[in-house]
Amino acid sequence: MSDTYKIGLGNNDTDIRKKADSDFVSFWNDQAKNLTWFSPWKKTLDWQPPFARWFVGGTINASYNALDVHQETKSQKPAILWEGEDGDSRILTYGQILTEVQKFSNVLKSLGVEKGDRVTLYLPMIPELPIAMLACARIGATHTVIFSGFSATSIRDRVDDSKSKLIVTADGGYRRGKIVKLKEVVDEAIKGFDFVKNVVIVERTNNEITMTSKDRLWNDLMNNASDSCPAEKLDSAHPLYILYTSGTTGKPKGVLHGTGGYLTHLYSTFKWAFDIKDSDVFFCTADIGWVTGHSYVVYAPLLHGATQIMYEGAPDFPDASRMWDILQKYKATIFYTTPTALRMFMKFGDDIPNSFDLSTLRLLGSVGEPINPEVWRWYYKTIGKEKCPIIDTWWQTETGGMLISPLPGLETIPLKPGSGTRPIPGVNITVVDENGKDVEPNTKGYLVVKNPWPGMLLTLWGDDEKYKTVYWSKYENCYYPGDYALKDSDGYLWLLGRADDVLKVAGHRIGTAELESCIVSHDDVAESAVCGIPDEVKGEVIIAFVVLKESVTTENKILEKELVEKIRTDIGAIATPKQIYFVSKLPKTRSGKIMRRLLKAIGNNEKIGDVSTLEDGAAVTEVQAAFDEIQKSIKESN
Ligand code: PRX
């Protein structure tokens, strides 16, 4: 934890931190002035804990700030340099995107979508996805994007919860050379949903589709649409989007983000963390189906009138050189990716990236999970050639944008491999113990945020009570993100993984409760417990323990296949366990609760600790034996 890298861009605006520390409300008030508002706000922050409303009384539009404001100077500037997995490419300028967005806004209106309605987007990484999002934002409809790897059942739950009137999908998308038939999945997902009035289909793959009475083709609608649609003047707190994310209990929750505060947060953090300049070519590898794609593919780069690369497919398709090839081809200057992707690239060896010209790069970002120091150093040396700062950004779907990150656009401070350094200005973050008391330096505790920030979620869609209990009940008037952290003696923060029952597999958030209830809904299963174990590339992978009903005679191999199939159908392939293990009982407390802590400890090869509350010690022996066997078989298969 000790080596530091004294690198930076030489920028040093010490005033900003001083201002932010002395009065965070007036600090954010100044930041909001970077955006274009239709009418000014009357109050900067209305804080009725735990509900924050920023820039009250102001009216604004996200699509207007992303597109219209650039037309005078940048209508010919490329906004998106798109590359399909199959080698297809498209360049969309700020002028062209505005035209497309206005047309699609009119399409939405013609199909009966009004301000306040929800629209579900289930699309591959193609330009029509940001276009549809910005069109929703333009007319005040709330978009809810679903990652294109999710299953029909997952879509059904989300569409039902948001009561979306309209769905935009595609005939298919390319992934590892194969066509993923998205429209078929949507057909299955919305069976019997009368409230879904229309489905708009983008033709991406020319894969044959069966049209239903609700279906309309994107091109047919766009050909007849007018290209003029003024942006709605929306309240600052107007719901821009719902994004579903996994938590510790039940089904995924709808995180609801507003407009004025969220955009202010993105504008500022993008400038501070990535020091964005007009000449930059930014490349974020996140899928727009996740929050990183919402915030730092769609909104933040466009707010700044930046040029960015958008790539459709798998990062290692057709081979391990794809990312470096894209960076070289488009002369990227800023690259933002995940530790999982970096660990995979690192495994492929240095010769591949070394054979590309990556000299245009000047900043390298990381997001989504803790970055191991050795991976950080590899990124710094092999990709950045020891001249690009590593911007390790910590944040969440709920926070809207970065909360902890090195900020080379603002200040020059030494970096430490594996630390996100310090909070952004205007947020007060600390590490506390179980009782909410600040822990001593270098002591592991829980990360908390002590004041509201502009990108903060408005609430959970339709569930204010859950919003209060999930994030604001552990510590009084503090936001609890569910992460372990420590602060070192220089005040640097080190993020140490989730403190709750949320898993991070390849950076994707998966709730253990959701997965367990899916497994238990199989007819032959009595009980189940899942947990994560460390994995060299994915950070962690899922292991599932399953107790079968007594009467079951089906072979384990067959059941295993059925369970995997069920998980893929109910949730999606990303939730598939690496191993499913059948045991006769699970370690439980005397009051009948599964001792997850214990499973996790065994999986991590840690000391088991106090098991005095355990009901039956034999279960531990069985689970331990299961793990040993799993680890043996993983070793053999590597
Ligand atoms: O555990 C933290 C981890 O990802 C969680 C948030 O996941 P999600 O909502 O899917 O958003 C991911 C993209 C912003 C956090 O609670 N996490 C995110 N970034 C980092 C991280 N852990 C360590 N270091 C990071 N830089």
Side-chain angles (χ1 to χ4, degrees):
M1 223 186 266
S2 58
D3 50 344
T4 56
Y5 289 69
K6 290 194 193 311
I7 51 166
L9 302 174
N11 297 347
N12 250 326
D13 184 349
T14 44
D15 271 4
I16 259 199
R17 288 238 177 234
K18 270 193 220 138
K19 259 189 228 156
D21 289 346
S22 72
D23 183 350
F24 77 93
V25 177
S26 99
F27 168 77
W28 285 117
N29 185 70
D30 288 349
Q31 299 302 314
K33 292 177 189 159
N34 289 318
L35 302 172
T36 304
W37 295 76
F38 297 122
S39 55
W41 52 98
K42 296 191 175 68
K43 194 173 180 191
T44 306
L45 172 65
D46 177 23
W47 179 222
Q48 318 262 350
F51 298 95
R53 296 294 175 261
W54 288 87
F55 315 116
V56 184
T59 56
I60 189 165
N61 186 290
S63 158
Y64 189 88
N65 273 275
L67 302 172
D68 303 57
V69 299
H70 307 307
Q71 295 307 313
E72 225 168 86
T73 51
K74 295 183 180 171
S75 71
Q76 305 296 319
K77 182 180 174 176
I80 296 178
L81 308 168
W82 178 80
E83 178 155 314
E85 195 189 71
D86 57 352
D88 246 11
S89 64
R90 282 163 75 184
I91 295 177
L92 285 104
T93 64
Y94 273 90
Q96 287 165 331
I97 297 199
L98 178 59
T99 304
E100 298 299 298
V101 167
Q102 297 199 78
K103 279 179 154 186
F104 198 64
S105 301
N106 285 323
V107 167
L108 290 173
K109 283 185 177 173
S110 73
L111 295 176
V113 177
E114 292 171 5
K115 177 175 154 184
D117 286 341
R118 272 80 55 211
V119 172
T120 290
L121 310 175
Y122 182 66
L123 283 163
M125 281 288 281
I126 52 176
E128 284 77 4
L129 176 50
I131 289 168
M133 291 163 80
L134 291 161
C136 289
R138 196 162 188 90
I139 65 167
T142 301
H143 57 72
T144 150
V145 180
I146 303 176
F147 171 61
S148 59
F150 278 124
S151 68
T153 313
S154 292
I155 301 168
R156 190 174 177 81
D157 290 342
R158 288 158 171 79
V159 171
D160 194 23
D161 189 67
S162 63
K163 292 284 178 298
S164 290
K165 229 183 195 174
L166 184 137
I167 298 180
V168 186
T169 188
D171 54 353
Y174 290 106
R175 190 80 190 169
R176 291 188 195 288
K178 291 204 184 92
I179 293 175
V180 185
K181 297 179 181 173
L182 301 176
K183 147 84 167 104
E184 272 182 18
V185 182
V186 169
D187 284 345
E188 173 72 26
I190 60 164
K191 264 188 198 149
F193 280 176
D194 292 339
F195 58 87
V196 178
K197 302 293 180 209
N198 292 285
V199 177
V200 177
I201 303 137
V202 180
E203 289 161 290
R204 162 71 186 121
T205 57
N206 292 325
N207 154 50
E208 211 170 294
I209 49 170
T210 319
M211 297 288 279
T212 73
S213 58
K214 291 183 182 178
D215 297 343
R216 314 266 176 272
L217 293 177
W218 173 283
N219 281 343
D220 290 352
L221 296 164
M222 291 292 267
N223 285 341
N224 296 317
S226 140
D227 61 4
S228 161
C229 178
E232 283 282 328
K233 298 180 169 73
L234 302 169
D235 235 33
S236 175
H238 187 79
L240 179 61
Y241 68 82
I242 304 170
L243 184 55
Y244 287 86
T245 190
S246 300
T248 49
T249 55
K251 301 237 182 209
K253 321 172 288 264
V255 169
L256 185 69
H257 279 293
T259 308
Y262 175 74
L263 298 180
T264 300
H265 194 114
L266 295 188
Y267 186 94
S268 302
T269 50
F270 196 60
K271 185 172 59 162
W272 298 333
F274 291 127
D275 182 46
I276 195 76
K277 303 264 193 280
D278 198 33
S279 52
D280 274 316
V281 178
F282 177 72
F283 182 25
C284 170
T285 62
D287 192 293
I288 294 174
W290 310 111
V291 75
T292 308
H294 278 63
S295 296
Y296 297 104
V297 175
V298 180
Y299 289 109
L302 297 180
L303 290 179
H304 281 273
T307 295
Q308 70 171 316
I309 301 162
M310 177 176 171
Y311 169 62
E312 178 186 35
D316 55 347
F317 189 86
D319 58 45
S321 70
R322 188 65 187 260
M323 289 295 105
W324 319 126
D325 184 51
I326 291 177
L327 291 170
Q328 173 182 276
K329 182 166 158 193
Y330 297 98
K331 301 188 170 33
T333 57
I334 306 170
F335 183 48
Y336 191 27
T337 193
T338 62
T340 289
L342 294 170
R343 287 187 291 258
M344 179 183 77
F345 299 141
M346 201 173 146
K347 256 186 124 175
F348 291 134
D350 292 5
D351 288 353
I352 303 175
N354 283 345
S355 64
F356 288 85
D357 176 8
L358 305 179
S359 62
T360 49
L361 286 171
R362 64 183 195 95
L363 286 167
L364 298 172
S366 170
V367 62
E369 13 157 10
I371 180 164
N372 338 34
E374 65 276 21
V375 177
W376 193 106
R377 287 189 200 95
W378 178 82
Y379 199 19
Y380 180 68
K381 291 201 170 98
T382 308
I383 307 306
K385 315 290 182 221
E386 306 196 14
K387 67 177 178 66
C388 307
I390 305 293
I391 318 301
D392 176 9
T393 65
W394 177 90
W395 56 294
Q396 306 181 297
T397 306
E398 293 86 340
T399 68
M402 304 161 187
L403 285 192
I404 300 171
S405 175
L407 304 171
L410 188 69
E411 61 199 3
T412 302
I413 58 165
L415 300 177
K416 302 187 192 188
S419 165
T421 70
R422 301 191 292 175
I424 62 163
V427 291
N428 183 354
I429 292 186
T430 186
V431 182
V432 298
D433 64 16
E434 201 59 54
N435 303 314
K437 233 179 105 235
D438 278 16
V439 295
E440 293 294 314
N442 297 315
T443 311
K444 181 173 171 179
Y446 302 98
L447 194 76
V448 290
V449 190
K450 290 185 146 175
N451 63 309
W453 64 96
M456 189 173 113
L457 70 167
L458 297 177
T459 186
L460 290 177
W461 177 252
D463 204 343
D464 285 350
E465 280 315 304
K466 193 156 189 189
Y467 166 71
K468 287 184 202 163
T469 49
V470 172
Y471 307 107
W472 299 92
S473 64
K474 191 168 166 78
Y475 301 110
E476 208 186 331
N477 285 346
C478 278
Y479 172 85
Y480 173 65
D483 274 39
Y484 285 125
L486 70 73
K487 209 189 254 189
D488 68 17
S489 23
D490 294 325
Y492 278 40
L493 290 158
W494 298 76
L495 279 305
L496 304 174
R498 297 288 308 190
D500 55 12
D501 291 330
V502 170
L503 306 177
K504 269 271 156 171
V505 179
H508 302 320
R509 211 163 135 169
I510 294 162
T512 46
E514 188 193 3
L515 187 49
E516 283 166 5
S517 82
C518 161
I519 296 174
V520 169
S521 67
H522 185 288
D523 283 347
D524 292 344
V525 175
E527 276 185 312
S528 168
V530 304
C531 66
I533 62 164
D535 181 83
E536 231 182 86
V537 173
K538 293 184 173 178
E540 61 182 343
V541 290
I542 306 169
I543 299 291
F545 291 93
V546 174
V547 179
L548 296 172
K549 287 180 184 158
E550 286 205 348
S551 54
V552 176
T553 52
T554 320
E555 257 183 72
N556 285 357
K557 275 250 164 304
I558 295 172
L559 281 172
E560 199 176 321
K561 266 202 183 140
E562 286 180 13
L563 285 172
V564 167
E565 199 40 50
K566 186 160 182 31
I567 292 163
R568 285 170 173 262
T569 318
D570 288 1
I571 306 176
I574 57 166
T576 314
K578 174 110 179 174
Q579 293 268 346
I580 295 180
Y581 211 89
F582 296 96
V583 288
S584 64
K585 49 183 160 307
L586 294 168
K588 285 192 193 158
T589 61
R590 288 195 190 95
S591 58
K593 272 179 88 175
I594 295 169
M595 285 188 85
R596 203 176 297 285
R597 168 179 70 77
L598 201 137
L599 294 176
K600 212 170 162 178
I602 299 176
N604 284 291
N605 279 329
E606 283 165 5
K607 279 207 186 99
I608 291 177
D610 180 18
V611 286
S612 56
T613 52
L614 204 65
E615 187 206 41
D616 181 355
V620 182
T621 319
E622 201 181 345
V623 168
Q624 178 77 63
F627 264 117
D628 292 346
E629 201 161 306
I630 289 165
Q631 257 138 15
K632 203 168 134 225
S633 84
I634 291 175
K635 255 189 212 139
E636 280 166 9
S637 69
N638 279 344

